[in-house]
Amino acid sequence: MNEPGDNLPRPNYKWPWFAAAAAVLAIVLAIVWMTFAVKRVEAQRDFSAPLPSSAPVH
């Protein structure tokens, strides 16, 4: 025999979709933020690199 609760439709929760979207958005924003941070650090290192001298150092 079927139980009384077997034919009930499963609840359609929306919060897991919002949580998944928030997690994906956080990952994408972290990647974009780190890309800009790495480029800024590389630019600072290139700017502060010592200039090559034409005379040899003894």
Side-chain angles (χ1 to χ4, degrees), residues 28-54:
V28 169
L29 289 176
I31 290 170
V32 170
W33 176 57
M34 287 304 297
T35 301
F36 284 118
V38 166
K39 287 183 180 183
R40 185 170 28 123
V41 168
E42 286 176 351
Q44 288 175 352
R45 285 187 179 179
D46 288 342
F47 179 74
S48 63
L51 295 173
S53 61
S54 58

Side-chain angles (χ1 to χ4, degrees), residues 4-15:
D6 287 347
N7 294 333
L8 296 175
R10 290 182 51 194
N12 189 10
Y13 296 113
K14 292 183 182 179
W15 68 266

